[in-house]
Amino acid sequence: MIDIKVPTVGESISEVTLLKWVKNSGDYVERDEVIAELESEKATFEVNAEQAGTLQQSAKEGDTLKIGDILATIDEKAAKPEKAAATNGTPAKEAKPEAKTAPAVQQPSQAPVTAVSNDIKATPVAAAMIADKKVDPKSVTPSGYSGKIVKNDVLQALSNPGKVTGGKPLFSREERREKMSQLRKTISRRLVESKNTTAMLTTFNEVDMSRIMEIRSKFKDKFKEIHGVNLGFMSFFAKACAIALQEWPAVGAYIDGDQLVYHDYVDISVAVSTPRGLTVPVIRNVESLSMADIEKKVVELAGKARDNKLTMEELTGGTFTITNGGVFGSLMSTPIINLPQSAILGMHKIQERPMAINGQVVIKPMMYLAVSYDHRIIDGRESVSFLVRVKELLENPELLLFGKDPVKTLLEL
């Protein structure tokens, strides 16, 4: 018998939660096959079988385990079962398929329905999306005929994780309790720690998004054709912050004991909302990346975050954070600093507003920007100047090429 123990996943992590079993007790598993998923305070990771054999579980889903605890055992001497079963020339009785993997069934005069659990039904397209994106069917509110989950229901669940739709019974007094996940515990602890240990202050400004929206409208098709990725807003903001951070290095510094640590590189953490909570993967050396490189990295990290595939390396480090509450409709907020960093930029909803320009009232697509910063390190002059510089770069995207006015560069002014 071989013991499968909880592996070491990080220097500061001492315990994990058994998120789910991929294989059941009694199943025959191959070497390196995934048998379970564990959740640490920072990420979700898979556990693989060290040898081929029959699996015997030693813990239940939801259990909290210490590093080094026995998760399961594998009997490597167990015989591998034959795939084709037949006894004395008599065909073996067909096994009853599990509800979670039941195939689509075509019923007369009805649309195809795929059973994804005993009491939840979905169309084939919706069922495929649920399986691909690893969505909990119970979190999806069905809108199809006879309570079926359709494609749009899954899309709504993916775009609004945690949102509960549908009516509740009148005068209900029910309540429910759920165990906090390791990720949620970490989020809670770090947010409170950030509020209690920093001299946090927030400064605001607003940016005219007209030029960026014009560029996206004009070049988005060509950009996708050449680079294979959409031209979003994040690349503009990341690039603008990278330039401004190099000009105002204190904004990207942090405190280590009685020393200030400055960086000659820009690693930007991007806040990503997932059904299980907020994660903040890191894009390395943003100052050296092209717009296309940034967009590709954003798509890659966001996908890994939603699929719980982020590694510890992708979640650690970072010298500055960008969070975008605008995707949920937020008009203005005060973001909380992501420790040990010293500042965070909050993006918000783009909204048309009347602006006074040269004595005339003009309707412009405007976005409020917020920078929360640790006043122990960053003075008001630096934080405000940083945000004003970001605003200038966003309103004049051509400056993102060199960080300077192209005409002034040409004339050496």
Side-chain angles (χ1 to χ4, degrees), residues 397-410:
E398 61 274 6
L399 299 181
L400 294 175
L401 186 58
F402 299 111
K404 300 179 180 179
D405 189 314
V407 175
K408 291 184 177 179
T409 302
L410 178 66

Side-chain angles (χ1 to χ4, degrees), residues 294-311:
I294 295 172
E295 291 293 351
K296 289 176 183 177
K297 202 64 182 176
V298 168
V299 172
E300 176 192 342
L301 293 175
K304 284 186 175 181
R306 284 189 292 268
D307 296 338
N308 298 325
K309 301 296 183 183
L310 288 169
T311 64

Side-chain angles (χ1 to χ4, degrees), residues 217-230:
S217 178
K218 183 177 180 181
F219 296 107
K220 63 180 181 181
D221 293 336
K222 192 67 175 178
F223 187 88
K224 186 171 185 179
E225 177 186 340
I226 295 175
H227 300 293
V229 66
N230 290 323

Side-chain angles (χ1 to χ4, degrees), residues 102-116:
V105 179
Q106 182 71 40
Q107 299 181 357
S109 71
Q110 291 188 6
V113 177
T114 298
V116 292

Side-chain angles (χ1 to χ4, degrees), residues 1-2 28 51-55 74-80:
M1 302 291 287
I2 297 176
Y28 187 89
Q51 293 289 345
T54 302
L55 178 73
I74 293 179
D75 183 0
E76 62 176 337
K77 295 182 179 180
K80 183 176 181 179

Side-chain angles (χ1 to χ4, degrees), residues 350-362:
I350 299 174
Q351 184 165 297
E352 289 190 341
R353 296 202 304 273
M355 304 296 293
I357 300 177
N358 297 325
Q360 301 292 322
V361 176
V362 182

Side-chain angles (χ1 to χ4, degrees), residues 6-209:
V6 177
T8 301
V9 292
E11 293 181 1
S12 61
I13 297 175
S14 60
E15 62 181 24
V16 298
T17 299
L18 175 54
L19 202 59
K20 72 172 184 178
W21 283 107
V22 178
K23 295 293 183 179
N24 299 317
S25 285
D27 286 353
Y28 187 89
V29 296
E30 298 290 350
R31 181 173 180 173
D32 294 329
E33 189 173 4
V34 177
I35 61 172
E37 289 185 4
L38 301 179
E39 179 191 55
S40 72
E41 63 182 37
K42 294 183 178 180
T44 300
F45 58 97
E46 299 173 336
V47 178
N48 301 84
E50 296 178 8
Q51 293 289 345
T54 302
L55 178 73
Q56 187 62 45
Q57 299 174 356
S58 301
K60 297 182 295 184
E61 292 184 355
D63 284 356
T64 299
L65 305 170
K66 300 290 185 181
I67 301 300
D69 283 354
I70 296 177
L71 180 66
T73 57
I74 293 179
D75 183 0
E76 62 176 337
K77 295 182 179 180
K80 183 176 181 179
E82 297 182 8
K83 295 181 180 179
T87 306
N88 297 329
T90 304
K93 184 178 179 180
E94 184 178 348
K96 183 178 179 181
E98 294 183 7
K100 291 185 179 180
T101 57
V105 179
Q106 182 71 40
Q107 299 181 357
S109 71
Q110 291 188 6
V113 177
T114 298
V116 292
S117 74
N118 291 331
D119 55 353
I120 300 176
K121 293 183 177 181
T123 61
V125 173
M129 294 176 64
I130 288 172
D132 180 55
K133 300 297 183 181
K134 296 181 175 61
V135 179
D136 181 2
K138 294 181 181 179
S139 69
V140 183
T141 303
S143 63
Y145 178 74
S146 299
K148 291 183 297 185
I149 296 175
V150 297
K151 175 183 177 181
N152 191 57
D153 299 333
V154 184
L155 292 174
Q156 286 291 329
L158 288 170
S159 60
N160 298 285
K163 181 180 179 181
V164 178
T165 58
K168 296 291 182 181
L170 296 177
F171 303 107
S172 172
R173 301 289 297 168
E174 294 184 2
E175 63 180 32
R176 58 191 175 90
R177 292 174 179 263
E178 293 182 357
K179 183 179 178 181
M180 290 180 70
S181 66
Q182 290 286 350
L183 180 60
R184 179 54 60 185
K185 288 179 184 177
T186 302
I187 293 172
S188 302
R189 174 175 55 79
R190 288 178 61 82
L191 291 179
V192 173
E193 181 184 358
S194 180
K195 292 282 287 185
N196 291 340
T197 60
T198 63
M200 189 163 62
L201 192 63
T202 304
T203 184
F204 300 92
N205 213 315
E206 58 183 352
V207 58
D208 179 1
M209 297 293 290

